Amino acid sequence: MDRTVVSQSMEDYLKAIFQLGKLETQVSTSALADYLKVAPASVTNMCKKLAELHLVDYEPYRGVTFTPAGKKIVLEIVRHHRLIELYLAEALGVPWDRVHEEAEKLEHVISEDLEERMAAVLGDPKFDPHGAPIPSRSGHVHEHDSGRLVDMETGDRLIVVEVDDRDPELLRYLGQLGIYPGTKITILVRAPFNGPLTLTSGGNEYSLGYQAAESIRVARRRDE
Ligand SMILES: [Zn+2]
């Protein structure tokens, strides 16, 4: 299809659909409105436009699902975004709480050639600095087997696999605690009623509020 008819804001909607439902799940317009913090009427308008371009199937009152053309484009943008984040972090030393915002702009404008060069310099990486999988050139997304930290139990020995990349303040906070993808943590106490979690990691013990813990995905550890 003619990519020039797909505007940056359309690309941002496609990315939001992907964030909420990955490639196959139907995403409701109300979930999109919440996620993008825009009025439901604007979401409905945009979904109709995306459907006219055959990028999504739109069912009124139910939501949107990707068409094959929509999947192809969203995977390309997500690949751009995550490669740019990693490149900025690894090659330019940009702190991990700032790469997302930069990538939000650059993802829409870099050429396929530049993308390939970044991938080559980075050695065809599989994950971005926040642990999110980078779709391969052919559109394969390597999903890790992970769950939400807040759904784990007291005594669980875990490894951090991914953190939400959208809140720089939260990323700085997690960075101060030393929580990055790959960090090993153990839950000492999980307070009831969505209370804080007491964690140990690298010999340090600290308490993490529920809201911060909600942004972290983990896998169980089988070592030691
Ligand atoms: Zn990001």
Side-chain angles (χ1 to χ4, degrees), residues 81 85 100 165:
H81 181 100
E85 284 190 345
H100 175 75
D165 68 358

Side-chain angles (χ1 to χ4, degrees), residues 15 19 81-82 85 99-101 103-104 107 128 130 132 164-166:
K15 231 170 38 159
Q19 291 293 349
H81 181 100
R82 294 178 178 171
E85 284 190 345
V99 294
H100 175 75
E101 209 191 324
E104 287 287 276
E107 66 190 8
D128 80 7
H130 311 108
D164 194 322
D165 68 358
R166 298 206 300 167

Side-chain angles (χ1 to χ4, degrees), residues 120-160:
V121 165
L122 295 167
D124 272 322
K126 301 225 166 11
F127 299 98
D128 80 7
H130 311 108
I134 299 173
S136 73
R137 210 170 281 106
S138 59
H140 175 76
V141 186
H142 178 92
E143 287 301 340
H144 29 223
D145 190 11
S146 66
R148 302 189 319 152
L149 175 57
V150 290
D151 295 333
M152 302 295 148
E153 301 295 335
T154 296
D156 280 352
R157 297 178 320 121
L158 308 162
I159 184 158
V160 175

Side-chain angles (χ1 to χ4, degrees), residues 29-93:
T29 46
S30 59
L32 276 172
D34 275 356
Y35 183 85
L36 292 164
K37 300 187 177 71
V38 293
S42 345
V43 174
T44 306
N45 269 333
M46 182 57 98
C47 289
K48 284 180 186 161
K49 282 187 205 161
L50 294 172
E52 277 164 27
L53 292 172
H54 306 291
L55 298 176
V56 298
D57 291 318
Y58 171 52
E59 276 185 82
Y61 308 107
R62 303 208 56 182
V64 286
T65 35
F66 283 118
T67 62
K71 281 182 197 171
K72 189 164 175 280
I73 290 182
V74 80
L75 286 170
E76 219 170 85
I77 303 160
V78 170
R79 178 170 163 84
H80 281 180
H81 181 100
R82 294 178 178 171
L83 268 175
I84 291 166
E85 284 190 345
L86 192 66
Y87 185 81
L88 294 176
E90 300 267 304
L92 305 181

Side-chain angles (χ1 to χ4, degrees), residues 1 15 17 20 36 42 56 66 69 76 89 101 106 108 125 161 167 174 190 204 209-210:
M1 75 171 294
K15 231 170 38 159
I17 298 166
L20 293 169
L36 292 164
S42 345
V56 298
F66 283 118
E76 219 170 85
E101 209 191 324
L106 295 170
H108 302 291
V161 293
D167 183 349
L174 296 179
R190 184 178 185 277
N204 298 318
Y210 189 88

